Every structure is written in structure tokens, then in C-alpha cells.
Amino acid sequence: MRHNLSLPAAYALLAILGVAVWVRILSAHGGLWVDEAWSAVLVARADTPWAVFTSINHDNNHHLNSLWMQAVGYAAPPLALRALSIVTGAATVLVVAAIGARRSTAHALVGAALFALSPILVNYGSEARGYAPMLLCALSAILVAARWLDAPAPAPRHAPGLLALLTILGLLSQLTMLFFVVAIAGWVALTLRQRVATGTAAAMTARLMLPSLVAVMLVFTLVFGAAAASPGGMQVGDYVPFSFASLVSALQVMLATTLGASALSRWWIAVLALTLCVAAMVAVAHRRPMAWLAMLAIAGLPIALATLHVANTGMPRYFLLSSVAVLLLLTDLIATALTKGPRSRMLAALALTLLAIGMVHDIAQDIKRRRGDIDAAIAGVRIEAPGGARVHVDHLQPVAPLRVAAATARYPLVLTSDCRPAQFVFVDLDDGGAATATTRRCGRVYTLRTVRRRGMLSGTDWALYGLPRARNALSTNPY
């Protein structure tokens, strides 16, 4: 049953939405980091919107985001390039409120607050990639499925088609939408199995999810068919073979950034993970509405990826399904406790306060770091060489971020990796790696100018070096 929000609750929701927009705008400042910048470079090579689907055969092509970047323009300010994610990331808060409002006003407001402030959602809701639009489609699909499960017979006829449309849009935003589709299908089937016979549950689930399965096949045929027809096939920006250590590390980072718990040790994060798994099992035992979704997402997804030895699972963004499920589970636990006795309300309020403090702390740290802010490199170079400069790079990775930053600043920049005279050297650092006071390239010594550090989830650690200033002062243009 849906609960209509009172006027004060509606105002509170609007305030939460305002905070969600505000923190995402603050987080969207700074130059495009590597993945965003390479997307921009690939999009700049596509002449038409159709070319986004047929010519950019790369795993970094998040199609709907690429269309937005193409419309805005290659050299647009970072805030404009990230605007689609900001809007869709904030809109997710309203969808979560609608999901929660099916239970109570407390569920609506608690869910909206957690999704507004969760650092992992703020991060991906403020960068020029497809994760925020995908999450909006995924949570909208969860809302549609929840309404379908609760609707009296006969089931709503529009639900299968709407789920298929959301599946298409989600997959074209980011292909990990597939994880949500599978989890929703499993959640629906297992929930129905608690009500009806196995065969009936399977048939009802098939009727609901078959159009979505067709949608998955269509999108994957389009994406991988275009790649197969191209000379180079599907290109992958970064391929890291599966390892259990990287999987565990990604899960720890995902959970810490979901809950604003980056200050906790990995052992406390492990305790949190175990507690959440137990809470999901208890929810299943008590037949809570989204219990099976939580179980499949929190435990099922990591187990499945580990069993299949899927590559690149050392990246926390692969576990956004788990992150969403954790927040939905916490929403249910906290909001339900808020409707009980004084002691439960006090514990729930304490938990919500601690979560908010941790989340705000982590968001503030990420806002300060600006994903490494590649724009600072161009700003530093421009101060010493206002007429243009040549910068040495050691490999391909920083080329796109530097080019995009220079184009945005309208600054003439030449990048080189050989021994032609260069006034500056840009060095990628290992995460957390120290920057030496000097570096040597092609017999020339460069001194450290500035260092920037990445955020918790996105960005690059880097250092900018320049020729000794006395020599720089002789010329502002090295060409």
C-alpha cells in the first residue's frame, strides 16, 4: 500500500533532494579523470549520434552518456559534461522515496536521505559516465517490480513492457544493468515462491521478465554486433584477471564508500559485511518485501562473480547492485525501528546520525580531492608558460585527460613521449605513491611543481614537474 506524504514530509523530501543535488554539484568540479576523458575523446571522433552506437566499440562507451557528451561538446566545462549524471543521480532519490512510501513515510525519508548522501552514489552521480543513469533505471525497475508484486490479481499489464524499456535504457547507460535484471528476476521468483507453487511462480516470473530478457538480447546484439563488424573488434581499456584478493578489496571499498565508513579498518568493514549478511537472512526468514533482493545482491553477486572468475572484479563499481541493496536493507531496518518503542527509536536515530556523519565526512574528502583534478596541471603549466607548452608523458593513459583539460581551458598544449625538448613532465603515480623532489627525462632534470591525489573511487594520483625556474624564465614558449 502506498502512503501519501504529509506536507511536512514532502517539504523534508524536497530538502533532502536539494542536498542531493548540492553535494553532487560540489563533487562534479575538477577536470575529467582518465575514464571520463577517454570517453570524451572517443565521442569527439564520432560524427553522428548513430556513430556512438556503431563506431565507438569500447567498454568505456556508456552510450546514453556518450550521446550527452556529444551534445554538450568535447571542450565543455566539466560541470556541463557531468550534468546528466547529476540530474539522474539526484532523481534516484525521488525513486527511492517512492519505493519507501509503499511502506511508510519513515521508509520514504530514511531511504531518500541514505541515497542522497551515500558517498559511492554521490561519486558516480557526479562524473561523466553512465552509472548514475543506469542506477536511475535500475531503481525504477525495482519500483515497478515491487508494485507488480503487491498488486491484486490480475497483475498490471504495463509492468512487463515498462521493465523492458527500463532495461534497454539501463543497459545503454551501463551494461552492468544486467546484474540488476538478473537480481530482480530472482527476487520476483523467490518472493512468489513464498506465496504460490513453484510452477506457478516460475510462469508468473517468466511473463513479467520475458520482455526484459528480449531487451537484454537486443542491446547486447547491438553492442557486440557493432564491435564484431568493426576492424578492431571490442576494445577494453583495462583488463585485470580475476583474483580473490582484488575481489575482497573491491567489496571492502564498496561497503566503506556506501556507508561512509572509510575511516574504519578492514576488519571492522568485514564485521559490517557479516552483520549485513545476517540481517538479510533474518529479513528472508521474516518475509520482508525486498529480503530476497538484498540476499541475492549482497551475497549472491559476489559469490557468482567469484565462482565464474570474472575479470575486473577488483573495481568497486561492479558491485553497485550490492551497494543499492545494502542501502535498501538499512532503510528497512532503520525506518521500521523508528516506528517501534522509545529504545528502538533511539537506536535507529543514533544509527542514522552516525551514518550521516560518516557519509558527509567521506563526501567532503572526495570533494576536496576532485578526483585528482587534472585541470590543476594545466593551470600550473599556464602560469609558467602562458603562451603554450610541451609536456612529456611516459605512456598513453594521461593523454586524454590532459588534452581534454587543455581544450576546456583553451590552452595550446603539445604532448610528447620522446626526447624532444619539453618544459614539463607529467608523471602518473601509484595510488598513494610518493612523488620525488626531482625526476630525470632524456638527460634533463625536472623539479616537482605540484602533486594531486585521487578520490576514494575515481581519479589518478599524479605529479607535475618542470625545468628549473631560472631556465624557464628565459622563455614562455618552448616550441
Side-chain angles (χ1 to χ4, degrees), residues 1-12:
M1 178 182 293
R2 184 178 183 275
H3 292 257
N4 292 322
L5 298 183
S6 65
L7 191 59
Y11 284 142

Side-chain angles (χ1 to χ4, degrees), residues 102 152 168 178 180 223 236 266 365 386 399 413 417 441 460:
R102 300 185 59 74
I168 291 173
L178 177 64
F180 283 89
V223 173
V236 178
R266 63 178 183 176
Q365 293 297 311
V399 169
L413 183 73
S417 58
R441 296 294 187 279
T460 308

Side-chain angles (χ1 to χ4, degrees), residues 33-394:
W33 73 285
V34 175
D35 286 6
E36 294 175 296
W38 276 109
S39 293
V41 168
L42 293 171
V43 169
R45 298 172 183 170
D47 297 329
T48 65
W50 181 241
V52 168
F53 294 91
T54 59
S55 300
I56 309 178
N57 302 302
H58 197 285
D59 70 333
N60 211 28
N61 179 21
H62 303 173
H63 295 81
L64 295 188
N65 181 69
S66 295
L67 291 173
W68 173 255
M69 298 181 88
Q70 186 180 65
V72 173
Y74 169 80
L79 195 61
L81 289 167
R82 292 165 171 158
L84 176 64
S85 288
I86 294 171
V87 172
T88 54
T92 299
V93 171
L94 296 178
V95 176
V96 171
I99 293 172
R102 300 185 59 74
R103 303 285 306 285
S104 71
T105 297
H107 282 80
L109 295 181
V110 170
L114 293 179
F115 276 78
L117 291 177
S118 178
I120 194 171
L121 300 185
V122 172
N123 181 87
Y124 291 116
S126 58
E127 65 180 36
R129 308 196 76 202
Y131 293 102
M134 182 269 288
L135 285 171
L136 177 60
C137 295
L139 281 156
S140 298
I142 290 172
L143 176 60
V144 171
R147 287 176 173 171
W148 183 87
L149 282 169
D150 292 343
R157 294 183 179 181
H158 69 275
L162 186 52
L163 280 176
L165 176 61
L166 290 168
T167 297
I168 291 173
L169 294 175
L171 289 169
L172 291 178
S173 296
Q174 222 292 324
L175 290 178
T176 50
M177 176 69 181
L178 177 64
F179 297 162
F180 283 89
V181 175
V182 173
I184 290 170
W187 162 45
V188 169
L190 291 168
T191 301
L192 289 174
R193 179 60 188 84
Q194 294 176 327
R195 305 175 185 175
V196 298
T198 301
T200 303
M204 293 174 66
T205 303
R207 284 195 294 271
L208 177 67
M209 300 303 300
L210 184 58
S212 295
L213 175 60
V214 174
V216 169
M217 295 173 63
L218 288 174
V219 173
F220 272 74
T221 299
L222 171 64
V223 173
F224 290 98
S230 68
M234 177 61 76
Q235 303 296 309
V236 178
D238 194 13
Y239 181 86
V240 180
F242 172 84
S243 76
F244 283 103
S246 63
L247 174 68
V248 171
S249 176
L251 288 170
Q252 289 176 333
V253 174
M254 177 276 294
L255 190 55
T257 54
T258 297
L259 303 178
S262 65
L264 298 181
S265 70
R266 63 178 183 176
W267 300 111
W268 278 111
I269 298 298
V271 170
L272 279 175
L274 180 61
T275 302
L276 287 166
C277 287
V278 172
M281 288 188 287
V282 171
V284 168
H286 286 82
R287 298 193 175 190
R288 306 295 289 180
M290 294 190 181
W292 277 115
L293 179 64
M295 180 62 73
L296 291 170
I298 296 171
L301 176 62
I303 291 172
L305 295 181
T307 302
L308 297 173
H309 281 210
V310 176
N312 286 353
T313 47
M315 301 177 184
R317 58 182 177 266
Y318 268 54
F319 299 97
L320 282 171
L321 168 62
S322 303
S323 181
V324 164
V326 165
L327 293 173
L328 290 175
L329 178 61
L330 286 174
T331 296
D332 189 34
L333 292 173
I334 293 172
T336 300
L338 286 172
T339 64
K340 295 184 180 294
R343 182 176 296 179
S344 294
R345 287 198 299 270
M346 185 179 300
L347 290 174
L350 177 62
L352 191 58
T353 300
L354 291 176
L355 283 169
I357 291 172
M359 288 175 176
V360 170
H361 172 270
D362 284 2
I363 291 169
Q365 293 297 311
D366 255 16
I367 288 172
K368 182 179 179 180
R369 291 191 174 189
R370 295 187 170 197
R371 298 176 178 81
D373 193 10
I374 206 75
D375 282 355
I378 300 301
V381 168
R382 188 170 212 159
I383 291 173
E384 295 190 44
R390 180 176 289 118
V391 176
H392 179 93
V393 296
D394 294 325

Side-chain angles (χ1 to χ4, degrees), residues 386-408:
R390 180 176 289 118
V391 176
H392 179 93
V393 296
D394 294 325
H395 50 80
L396 185 63
Q397 179 170 294
V399 169
L402 288 169
R403 283 182 177 171
V404 172
T408 301

